[in-house]
Amino acid sequence: MVKYFACVGLLRSSWDQVCMAFWQRYPNPYSNHVLTEDIIFREVTHGNCLVSRRLLTKTNRAPRWMEKYLPVTMARLAYIIEDSIVDPQARTMTTLTWNISHARMMSVEERCEYRMNPDNPSWTEINREAWISSNLYGLSRAVQVRPHPGHWRSMPQIGPGRLHWQLKRRPKTWPHRLRRNSSLSDLALVLTERLFPTLFPKGLVQSTVL
Amino acid sequence: MNSVGEGCTDLKREYDQCFNRWFAEKFLKGDRSGDPCTEMFKKYQHCVQKAIKEKDIPIDGVEFMGPNKDKP
C-alpha cells in the first residue's frame, strides 16, 4: 500500500538564488545528521539541462539493542539518492529523493518542483509530493499521511547575503502520547519514525495517533 | 561537507567551488561555452566511485528518477 501526500510552498527568493543554494545546502545547522554528500553523476544534456545525482549519507539512530540484528552499515547509516534536473530555459528544477537503504522496511520518495512564482517573479514556488510505502506486516496498513500545513511549513527560507537553509523543527512525537484507542500498527509506525527518522522528509509523517 | 570517501574530500571541495562558480555565472545565464570543471570532476569521480565500491553502497542499476517513473 502506498500513501501519497502533496503540498505547495513559497520561498521569498528568486529561482536563481534557490538553485544556487540547492547545491550549497550542506552543511547547515539543521542538518547535522547528514554526514557526507557527493555528486556521483552529472552532465549537461543536448537540451542544455543539468542532470545530476547526489548521494547522501545520514546517521541512523537505531538503538543499541537493535544494532546487533542489523548489518553494520544499516545499523548506523542511511543512504539516500537525490536526482535532479535543472532547466535554465524553462526556469524549473525537479528533484527526486529516495532511500536506497532500509528500503524493505520503509520506502520514502519525495519529489519537488521549483519554479518561478507566477504572481511574483522574484519568488519561487515549490510543489512537493511524497510517497510512502512499507512491506512490513502491520506497518503498511498504518502508513497514513494526513496533509497538515503546520508540519509542511518547514520550507527553507533564504536570507540575504550568504544563503542558509532554515528548516523549522518538526514537533516531537512520542509513543506515550498515543491515544487510548491507538492500534498496534499505529505504535509500529511511530516507533519506525523514531528509529529511522532520517528516512522521512522533515515534518512529513503526521501519524493518525497524534 | 565531507565526501563518503575520506580521501576524496579535498577533491570534492575543489570541484564544488569550480562548479558553483560556473553554475551561477555561466549555466544559469544561458552561457553554453562549456564546463571548465570537467578535469576536476573526473579526478573526483575516480576517487568517489572507488570509495562507493569499497563501502558496498548499492547504487548500481538505479535508474535516473527511477522510482518516480510510473507515478502520475
Side-chain angles (χ1 to χ4, degrees), chain A residues 10-45:
Chain A
L10 204 58
L11 292 171
R12 288 176 172 78
S13 295
S14 70
W15 182 83
D16 285 46
Q17 282 182 308
V18 169
C19 290
M20 287 188 272
F22 180 75
W23 298 117
Q24 301 176 62
R25 69 200 284 188
Y26 302 114
N28 73 72
Y30 300 92
S31 296
N32 291 324
H33 60 290
V34 178
L35 300 174
T36 71
E37 169 219 23
D38 283 287
I39 299 296
I40 61 173
F41 174 79
R42 179 169 272 157
E43 72 173 27
V44 179
T45 66

Short mmCIF file of all heavy atoms in Angstrom, two decimals, chain A residues 10-45:
data_model
loop_
_atom_site.label_atom_id
_atom_site.label_comp_id
_atom_site.label_asym_id
_atom_site.label_seq_id
_atom_site.Cartn_x
_atom_site.Cartn_y
_atom_site.Cartn_z
N LEU A 10 6.09 28.36 -0.70
CA LEU A 10 6.64 29.55 -1.33
C LEU A 10 7.96 29.94 -0.66
O LEU A 10 8.06 29.95 0.57
CB LEU A 10 5.63 30.69 -1.14
CG LEU A 10 5.66 31.84 -2.13
CD1 LEU A 10 5.46 31.35 -3.56
CD2 LEU A 10 4.58 32.85 -1.77
N LEU A 11 8.94 30.24 -1.49
CA LEU A 11 10.21 30.76 -0.99
C LEU A 11 10.35 32.20 -1.45
O LEU A 11 10.17 32.49 -2.64
CB LEU A 11 11.39 29.95 -1.56
CG LEU A 11 11.53 28.51 -1.08
CD1 LEU A 11 12.58 27.78 -1.89
CD2 LEU A 11 11.89 28.47 0.38
N ARG A 12 10.65 33.09 -0.52
CA ARG A 12 10.76 34.51 -0.88
C ARG A 12 12.14 34.84 -1.43
O ARG A 12 12.82 35.75 -0.95
CB ARG A 12 10.41 35.39 0.32
CG ARG A 12 8.92 35.37 0.65
CD ARG A 12 8.59 36.16 1.91
NE ARG A 12 7.15 36.30 2.11
CZ ARG A 12 6.36 35.36 2.60
NH1 ARG A 12 6.86 34.20 2.95
NH2 ARG A 12 5.06 35.57 2.74
N SER A 13 12.55 34.05 -2.39
CA SER A 13 13.82 34.27 -3.07
C SER A 13 13.64 33.87 -4.52
O SER A 13 12.75 33.08 -4.85
CB SER A 13 14.92 33.41 -2.44
OG SER A 13 15.17 33.80 -1.12
N SER A 14 14.48 34.41 -5.38
CA SER A 14 14.33 34.13 -6.80
C SER A 14 14.71 32.69 -7.10
O SER A 14 15.45 32.04 -6.35
CB SER A 14 15.22 35.08 -7.62
OG SER A 14 16.59 34.74 -7.44
N TRP A 15 14.24 32.22 -8.24
CA TRP A 15 14.52 30.85 -8.65
C TRP A 15 16.03 30.64 -8.79
O TRP A 15 16.57 29.60 -8.41
CB TRP A 15 13.80 30.58 -9.98
CG TRP A 15 13.99 29.18 -10.47
CD1 TRP A 15 13.29 28.07 -10.10
CD2 TRP A 15 14.96 28.75 -11.43
NE1 TRP A 15 13.77 26.95 -10.77
CE2 TRP A 15 14.78 27.34 -11.59
CE3 TRP A 15 15.96 29.38 -12.16
CZ2 TRP A 15 15.57 26.58 -12.47
CZ3 TRP A 15 16.73 28.62 -13.04
CH2 TRP A 15 16.54 27.23 -13.18
N ASP A 16 16.74 31.62 -9.33
CA ASP A 16 18.20 31.50 -9.48
C ASP A 16 18.87 31.32 -8.12
O ASP A 16 19.75 30.47 -7.94
CB ASP A 16 18.79 32.76 -10.13
CG ASP A 16 18.51 32.82 -11.62
OD1 ASP A 16 17.35 32.57 -12.01
OD2 ASP A 16 19.43 33.10 -12.41
N GLN A 17 18.45 32.12 -7.15
CA GLN A 17 19.04 32.03 -5.81
C GLN A 17 18.75 30.66 -5.20
O GLN A 17 19.61 30.06 -4.54
CB GLN A 17 18.46 33.10 -4.89
CG GLN A 17 19.03 34.49 -5.12
CD GLN A 17 18.45 35.50 -4.16
OE1 GLN A 17 17.22 35.63 -4.03
NE2 GLN A 17 19.28 36.22 -3.47
N VAL A 18 17.53 30.18 -5.39
CA VAL A 18 17.14 28.88 -4.84
C VAL A 18 18.02 27.78 -5.44
O VAL A 18 18.51 26.91 -4.72
CB VAL A 18 15.64 28.61 -5.10
CG1 VAL A 18 15.28 27.16 -4.78
CG2 VAL A 18 14.78 29.56 -4.28
N CYS A 19 18.21 27.83 -6.74
CA CYS A 19 19.03 26.79 -7.39
C CYS A 19 20.48 26.83 -6.91
O CYS A 19 21.10 25.79 -6.67
CB CYS A 19 19.00 26.96 -8.91
SG CYS A 19 17.41 26.54 -9.62
N MET A 20 21.01 28.04 -6.78
CA MET A 20 22.40 28.14 -6.30
C MET A 20 22.52 27.62 -4.88
O MET A 20 23.45 26.89 -4.54
CB MET A 20 22.87 29.61 -6.36
CG MET A 20 23.12 30.08 -7.78
SD MET A 20 23.89 31.69 -7.84
CE MET A 20 22.46 32.78 -7.82
N ALA A 21 21.53 27.95 -4.05
CA ALA A 21 21.55 27.49 -2.66
C ALA A 21 21.36 25.98 -2.58
O ALA A 21 21.90 25.32 -1.68
CB ALA A 21 20.44 28.19 -1.86
N PHE A 22 20.63 25.43 -3.51
CA PHE A 22 20.37 23.99 -3.52
C PHE A 22 21.68 23.21 -3.53
O PHE A 22 21.82 22.20 -2.84
CB PHE A 22 19.52 23.65 -4.75
CG PHE A 22 19.17 22.20 -4.88
CD1 PHE A 22 18.19 21.64 -4.08
CD2 PHE A 22 19.83 21.39 -5.79
CE1 PHE A 22 17.85 20.30 -4.20
CE2 PHE A 22 19.51 20.05 -5.91
CZ PHE A 22 18.52 19.50 -5.11
N TRP A 23 22.65 23.67 -4.29
CA TRP A 23 23.93 22.95 -4.38
C TRP A 23 24.84 23.25 -3.19
O TRP A 23 25.87 22.60 -3.03
CB TRP A 23 24.64 23.29 -5.70
CG TRP A 23 23.84 22.87 -6.88
CD1 TRP A 23 23.31 23.67 -7.84
CD2 TRP A 23 23.42 21.54 -7.22
NE1 TRP A 23 22.60 22.92 -8.75
CE2 TRP A 23 22.65 21.62 -8.39
CE3 TRP A 23 23.63 20.28 -6.62
CZ2 TRP A 23 22.09 20.49 -8.99
CZ3 TRP A 23 23.07 19.16 -7.22
CH2 TRP A 23 22.32 19.27 -8.39
N GLN A 24 24.46 24.24 -2.40
CA GLN A 24 25.31 24.60 -1.26
C GLN A 24 24.59 24.39 0.08
O GLN A 24 24.95 24.98 1.08
CB GLN A 24 25.71 26.09 -1.38
CG GLN A 24 26.47 26.38 -2.68
CD GLN A 24 26.77 27.86 -2.85
OE1 GLN A 24 27.48 28.44 -2.02
NE2 GLN A 24 26.26 28.47 -3.89
N ARG A 25 23.58 23.52 0.08
CA ARG A 25 22.74 23.41 1.27
C ARG A 25 23.43 22.70 2.43
O ARG A 25 23.00 22.83 3.57
CB ARG A 25 21.42 22.73 0.94
CG ARG A 25 21.53 21.28 0.60
CD ARG A 25 20.32 20.80 -0.15
NE ARG A 25 19.16 20.62 0.71
CZ ARG A 25 18.04 20.07 0.32
NH1 ARG A 25 17.90 19.66 -0.92
NH2 ARG A 25 17.02 19.93 1.14
N TYR A 26 24.46 21.91 2.12
CA TYR A 26 25.16 21.21 3.21
C TYR A 26 26.60 21.72 3.32
O TYR A 26 27.25 21.96 2.32
CB TYR A 26 25.18 19.71 2.94
CG TYR A 26 23.81 19.10 2.80
CD1 TYR A 26 23.39 18.56 1.59
CD2 TYR A 26 22.92 19.06 3.88
CE1 TYR A 26 22.12 18.02 1.45
CE2 TYR A 26 21.66 18.51 3.76
CZ TYR A 26 21.26 17.99 2.54
OH TYR A 26 20.02 17.44 2.41
N PRO A 27 27.16 21.86 4.52
CA PRO A 27 26.47 21.62 5.80
C PRO A 27 25.62 22.82 6.20
O PRO A 27 25.81 23.92 5.71
CB PRO A 27 27.63 21.44 6.78
CG PRO A 27 28.73 22.29 6.21
CD PRO A 27 28.56 22.24 4.71
N ASN A 28 24.66 22.59 7.08
CA ASN A 28 23.89 23.66 7.68
C ASN A 28 23.48 23.23 9.07
O ASN A 28 23.45 22.02 9.36
CB ASN A 28 22.69 24.07 6.79
CG ASN A 28 21.58 23.05 6.79
OD1 ASN A 28 20.87 22.90 7.79
ND2 ASN A 28 21.42 22.35 5.68
N PRO A 29 23.20 24.17 9.95
CA PRO A 29 22.98 23.83 11.36
C PRO A 29 21.78 22.91 11.59
O PRO A 29 21.65 22.32 12.66
CB PRO A 29 22.72 25.19 12.03
CG PRO A 29 23.09 26.22 11.05
CD PRO A 29 23.09 25.61 9.69
N TYR A 30 20.89 22.81 10.61
CA TYR A 30 19.69 22.00 10.77
C TYR A 30 19.84 20.61 10.17
O TYR A 30 18.89 19.84 10.15
CB TYR A 30 18.49 22.72 10.14
CG TYR A 30 18.26 24.06 10.80
CD1 TYR A 30 18.85 25.22 10.29
CD2 TYR A 30 17.48 24.16 11.95
CE1 TYR A 30 18.65 26.44 10.91
CE2 TYR A 30 17.28 25.39 12.57
CZ TYR A 30 17.88 26.52 12.05
OH TYR A 30 17.70 27.73 12.66
N SER A 31 21.00 20.32 9.64
CA SER A 31 21.21 19.01 9.00
C SER A 31 22.47 18.34 9.54
O SER A 31 23.28 17.83 8.77
CB SER A 31 21.32 19.17 7.48
OG SER A 31 20.13 19.64 6.94
N ASN A 32 22.61 18.34 10.86
CA ASN A 32 23.79 17.69 11.45
C ASN A 32 23.78 16.19 11.25
O ASN A 32 24.80 15.53 11.42
CB ASN A 32 23.87 18.02 12.95
CG ASN A 32 24.20 19.48 13.18
OD1 ASN A 32 24.97 20.07 12.42
ND2 ASN A 32 23.62 20.08 14.21
N HIS A 33 22.61 15.66 10.91
CA HIS A 33 22.53 14.22 10.69
C HIS A 33 23.06 13.81 9.31
O HIS A 33 23.24 12.63 9.04
CB HIS A 33 21.08 13.74 10.84
CG HIS A 33 20.15 14.39 9.86
ND1 HIS A 33 19.79 15.71 9.92
CD2 HIS A 33 19.51 13.88 8.77
CE1 HIS A 33 18.97 15.98 8.92
NE2 HIS A 33 18.78 14.89 8.21
N VAL A 34 23.31 14.79 8.45
CA VAL A 34 23.87 14.49 7.13
C VAL A 34 25.38 14.43 7.27
O VAL A 34 26.02 15.43 7.62
CB VAL A 34 23.47 15.54 6.08
CG1 VAL A 34 24.10 15.23 4.73
CG2 VAL A 34 21.96 15.60 5.94
N LEU A 35 25.96 13.27 7.00
CA LEU A 35 27.40 13.07 7.24
C LEU A 35 28.23 13.36 5.99
O LEU A 35 29.31 13.92 6.08
CB LEU A 35 27.65 11.64 7.69
CG LEU A 35 26.95 11.22 8.97
CD1 LEU A 35 27.18 9.74 9.23
CD2 LEU A 35 27.45 12.05 10.15
N THR A 36 27.74 12.90 4.85
CA THR A 36 28.51 13.10 3.62
C THR A 36 27.56 13.44 2.48
O THR A 36 26.37 13.10 2.51
CB THR A 36 29.32 11.85 3.23
OG1 THR A 36 28.45 10.81 2.79
CG2 THR A 36 30.18 11.35 4.37
N GLU A 37 28.13 14.09 1.49
CA GLU A 37 27.35 14.50 0.32
C GLU A 37 28.28 14.40 -0.88
O GLU A 37 29.38 14.93 -0.84
CB GLU A 37 26.89 15.95 0.50
CG GLU A 37 26.29 16.58 -0.74
CD GLU A 37 26.70 18.04 -0.91
OE1 GLU A 37 27.74 18.46 -0.35
OE2 GLU A 37 25.97 18.76 -1.59
N ASP A 38 27.86 13.69 -1.92
CA ASP A 38 28.71 13.54 -3.10
C ASP A 38 27.86 13.60 -4.37
O ASP A 38 26.79 13.00 -4.43
CB ASP A 38 29.43 12.18 -3.10
CG ASP A 38 30.60 12.16 -2.15
OD1 ASP A 38 31.64 12.79 -2.47
OD2 ASP A 38 30.48 11.53 -1.08
N ILE A 39 28.38 14.29 -5.36
CA ILE A 39 27.79 14.22 -6.70
C ILE A 39 28.41 12.99 -7.37
O ILE A 39 29.64 12.89 -7.48
CB ILE A 39 28.14 15.48 -7.53
CG1 ILE A 39 27.58 16.74 -6.87
CG2 ILE A 39 27.62 15.34 -8.97
CD1 ILE A 39 26.07 16.79 -6.79
N ILE A 40 27.57 12.04 -7.77
CA ILE A 40 28.12 10.82 -8.36
C ILE A 40 27.79 10.68 -9.83
O ILE A 40 28.19 9.72 -10.48
CB ILE A 40 27.68 9.57 -7.56
CG1 ILE A 40 26.16 9.43 -7.54
CG2 ILE A 40 28.22 9.65 -6.14
CD1 ILE A 40 25.71 8.11 -6.91
N PHE A 41 27.06 11.65 -10.36
CA PHE A 41 26.82 11.70 -11.79
C PHE A 41 26.40 13.11 -12.13
O PHE A 41 25.63 13.74 -11.38
CB PHE A 41 25.72 10.72 -12.20
CG PHE A 41 25.34 10.85 -13.67
CD1 PHE A 41 26.12 10.29 -14.65
CD2 PHE A 41 24.21 11.57 -14.04
CE1 PHE A 41 25.79 10.43 -16.00
CE2 PHE A 41 23.87 11.72 -15.39
CZ PHE A 41 24.65 11.15 -16.36
N ARG A 42 26.88 13.60 -13.26
CA ARG A 42 26.44 14.93 -13.70
C ARG A 42 26.76 15.10 -15.17
O ARG A 42 27.84 14.72 -15.63
CB ARG A 42 27.15 16.02 -12.88
CG ARG A 42 26.78 17.43 -13.29
CD ARG A 42 27.30 18.42 -12.29
NE ARG A 42 26.34 18.64 -11.22
CZ ARG A 42 26.66 19.10 -10.01
NH1 ARG A 42 27.90 19.36 -9.71
NH2 ARG A 42 25.72 19.28 -9.11
N GLU A 43 25.80 15.66 -15.89
CA GLU A 43 26.09 16.04 -17.27
C GLU A 43 25.09 17.10 -17.73
O GLU A 43 24.01 17.25 -17.15
CB GLU A 43 26.08 14.84 -18.21
CG GLU A 43 24.73 14.26 -18.52
CD GLU A 43 24.78 13.17 -19.59
OE1 GLU A 43 25.83 12.51 -19.76
OE2 GLU A 43 23.76 12.99 -20.27
N VAL A 44 25.50 17.83 -18.77
CA VAL A 44 24.61 18.79 -19.40
C VAL A 44 24.07 18.13 -20.66
O VAL A 44 24.84 17.66 -21.49
CB VAL A 44 25.35 20.10 -19.76
CG1 VAL A 44 24.41 21.08 -20.45
CG2 VAL A 44 25.94 20.74 -18.51
N THR A 45 22.76 18.07 -20.77
CA THR A 45 22.14 17.38 -21.91
C THR A 45 22.21 18.25 -23.17
O THR A 45 22.57 19.43 -23.11
CB THR A 45 20.66 17.09 -21.61
OG1 THR A 45 19.96 18.34 -21.52
CG2 THR A 45 20.50 16.32 -20.31
#
